[in-house]
Amino acid sequence: MSLSLLNLLNMLLPLITLPYLIRVVGIANYGKYSIVYVMIQYVILIASYGFNFSATRLIAMNREDRNEVENIFNSVLLCKILLTIFPSLFFLAFSWFVYDVDYVMMLALGLGMVIGDILNPIWLYQGMEKMRYMTIVNFISKLLFTVLIFILIRKESDYIFITLYNSAGYLLAGAMSLYIACHEFHLSLKFPNKESVIFQFKDGLFIFLSTVFMNLYRNSNTFILGLFVNESFVGMYAGAEKIVKAVQSLADPISNAFFPHLAESFKHHTIQANILQLFKLTKYLFLILLFLGGLCFFFAPLLNRMLLDANEEGSILLIKLMSPVIIVGGLNYVLGIVGLINLGEKKRFLQTVFVSGVLSLTFLLSTVRYWGASSAALSMVLAEITIFVCCLYYLKKLYGSSHPC
């Protein structure tokens, strides 16, 4: 329930501001903001490494041992800080040489999102299965961002400050969640030993590489479009993508809640029993995702009119093209992250997302000059279908190899 409320907030509040931002700053400036936002998400991705899954798994398996939880907590925080430095400097330099000073300013103002994300140990709360705290914290931070947008974004040139208000929400959430974590779980901030830090880097490596290749088609599409088409088309695509991801997030609480639960459960059952349990969950989730995907497809014109404040047929087409991502992408999280990673098959999952990421990127670069934003939408669908087929193949192969003759 806490995860459901959290995802509902994460979905609704940004969608409330979306039509307002497009109307006030314009679709082109919203496209600029979307490009900068993706660069910030790259920095957050690198800083997150694979900890949202590897650290969650470790916390879930050691939640009764306070000393071990504290050790994991401090080691991961230090790792995230170290991982932030280089990519932040790189993207600032990249923006300076490739774009203009507005992009550099937006990026600098948005780095507060990176700091806030470091301070916000969602992986700790998820591993401890205490997500109700995150619901409260994220509600306050998202509400702050929403209020600041409606009060302070008043004219077209104000688009430069959107990332600043994003940073304000992230920093508030980070400060609050770090304080609650230390007091609720009786943890102290300490400098961890070198061995613990090295272990966290090693443990999260395959998951980190997997998330990097996943982002070749999840976040890179907006960035790559910005190199080939004008900001208006980027803004149109970014808005449509945000709608599709928002609808998909309605089912995320199911898979997110099952990740730490199955990490604990998988220790006590056979591989065969675990895979059967996973497939049972997938069947129920498929019906939910099919319903959500159908809603997104058939109500694309209404969603376009209400949320994008746009009349272009292109926006409707993009929403419809990406609607299968809701179904296949949701199943991939369960089969890949919840399934293969919890079953110790990190290398196989990495192979899967590597193939899908390269395939998607190749398709996008080959067709973007001809199909524009539609090419980005189709590349995302292609990547998700590839992951689904590969995950299903590996799980069935794993089930067969563990089946007694």
Side-chain angles (χ1 to χ4, degrees):
M1 177 60 75
S2 295
L3 279 169
S4 298
L5 291 173
L6 177 58
N7 269 49
L8 191 63
L9 292 172
N10 286 336
M11 179 195 73
L12 286 179
L13 292 180
L15 287 182
I16 290 173
T17 60
L18 180 60
Y20 177 79
L21 284 174
I22 292 176
R23 185 169 62 252
V24 174
V25 306
I27 192 71
N29 287 330
Y30 183 78
K32 293 181 181 179
Y33 158 72
S34 299
I35 292 171
V36 173
Y37 186 81
V38 166
M39 286 191 278
I40 293 170
Q41 292 305 308
Y42 280 147
V43 181
I44 291 176
L45 168 69
I46 295 170
S48 297
Y49 201 62
F51 303 132
N52 286 346
F53 302 112
S54 63
T56 296
R57 181 172 175 270
L58 289 173
I59 294 291
M61 295 172 65
N62 298 279
R63 65 178 66 161
E64 303 302 327
D65 186 344
R66 193 193 71 83
N67 289 331
E68 183 59 26
V69 169
E70 186 175 83
N71 183 48
I72 297 168
F73 174 69
N74 285 295
S75 299
V76 172
L77 283 181
L78 180 59
C79 289
K80 288 170 73 73
I81 292 171
L82 295 174
L83 287 164
T84 300
I85 300 171
F86 175 74
S88 298
L89 295 174
F90 171 81
F91 280 110
L92 283 170
F94 179 85
S95 299
W96 179 268
F97 287 107
V98 176
Y99 297 109
D100 56 43
V101 68
D102 287 353
Y103 283 82
V104 178
M105 185 175 179
M106 283 191 288
L107 185 58
L109 293 174
L111 289 178
M113 284 186 260
V114 179
I115 299 171
D117 184 77
I118 291 173
L119 299 176
N120 194 351
I122 294 178
W123 41 270
L124 172 68
Y125 290 99
Q126 194 168 343
M128 299 294 285
E129 297 192 77
K130 300 288 185 181
M131 289 301 294
R132 62 181 180 275
Y133 299 109
M134 285 292 91
T135 304
I136 298 170
V137 166
N138 277 276
F139 172 73
I140 295 172
S141 65
K142 296 288 184 183
L143 184 63
L144 173 63
F145 168 70
T146 304
V147 171
L148 289 175
I149 289 296
F150 282 116
I151 292 178
L152 300 178
I153 301 294
R154 309 299 298 176
K155 56 185 183 296
E156 186 174 334
S157 59
D158 289 340
Y159 76 93
I160 291 178
F161 302 107
I162 300 175
T163 54
L164 175 63
Y165 307 140
N166 264 307
S167 290
Y170 269 75
L171 287 169
L172 179 62
M176 291 178 63
S177 60
L178 186 65
Y179 176 83
I180 294 172
C182 291
H183 285 74
E184 174 65 21
F185 305 122
H186 309 291
L187 304 176
S188 300
L189 292 173
K190 299 177 182 178
F191 198 83
N193 58 60
K194 183 174 68 174
E195 291 74 19
S196 298
V197 174
I198 293 174
F199 173 80
Q200 293 299 335
F201 276 126
K202 288 182 178 179
D203 190 54
L205 177 60
F206 285 109
I207 301 175
F208 169 64
L209 294 174
S210 299
T211 54
V212 166
F213 288 116
M214 287 169 70
N215 275 269
L216 285 178
Y217 68 89
R218 288 191 174 177
N219 287 332
S220 295
N221 287 357
T222 301
F223 181 72
I224 293 173
L225 277 178
L227 301 176
F228 290 94
V229 301
N230 63 47
E231 286 89 352
S232 296
F233 285 105
V234 175
M236 187 171 63
Y237 172 81
E241 184 186 62
K242 182 167 286 189
I243 289 174
V244 171
K245 288 183 176 180
V247 176
Q248 184 182 10
S249 71
L250 290 173
D252 285 351
I254 300 172
S255 48
N256 286 337
F258 267 90
F259 183 82
H261 173 74
L262 292 181
E264 174 68 21
S265 174
F266 280 8
K267 295 190 301 182
H268 310 295
H269 299 89
T270 64
I271 292 178
Q272 217 179 333
N274 291 333
I275 293 176
L276 286 175
Q277 185 180 11
L278 194 67
F279 283 160
K280 184 177 180 180
L281 170 64
T282 303
K283 289 179 182 178
Y284 290 116
L285 184 61
F286 171 74
L287 297 176
I288 298 172
L289 293 169
L290 183 63
F291 174 73
L292 294 175
L295 285 179
C296 189
F297 182 88
F298 289 109
F299 289 97
L302 178 63
L303 292 170
N304 175 66
R305 187 166 59 253
M306 290 176 57
L307 300 175
L308 297 184
D309 194 36
N311 297 316
E312 298 91 344
E313 289 296 320
S315 299
I316 300 173
L317 175 62
L318 290 173
I319 295 172
K320 288 186 175 183
L321 285 176
M322 286 189 283
S323 59
V325 171
I326 297 171
I327 304 168
V328 187
L331 295 178
N332 287 343
Y333 186 94
V334 175
L335 296 176
I337 301 294
V338 179
L340 288 176
I341 288 179
N342 268 331
L343 290 169
E345 299 293 328
K346 297 178 184 177
K347 289 185 180 180
R348 286 185 171 179
F349 185 64
L350 172 59
Q351 292 169 355
T352 296
V353 296
F354 173 77
V355 171
S356 64
V358 171
L359 185 63
S360 170
L361 186 61
T362 303
F363 176 85
L364 177 57
L365 292 174
S366 302
T367 59
V368 66
R369 293 182 182 275
Y370 309 104
W371 299 341
S374 296
S375 177
L378 291 172
S379 71
M380 182 180 293
V381 176
L382 175 64
E384 293 289 5
I385 291 175
T386 303
I387 291 179
F388 177 75
V389 172
C390 291
C391 285
L392 205 58
Y393 169 78
Y394 281 134
L395 285 169
K396 287 190 174 183
K397 185 177 180 180
L398 194 62
Y399 180 85
S401 64
S402 65
H403 197 285
C405 296

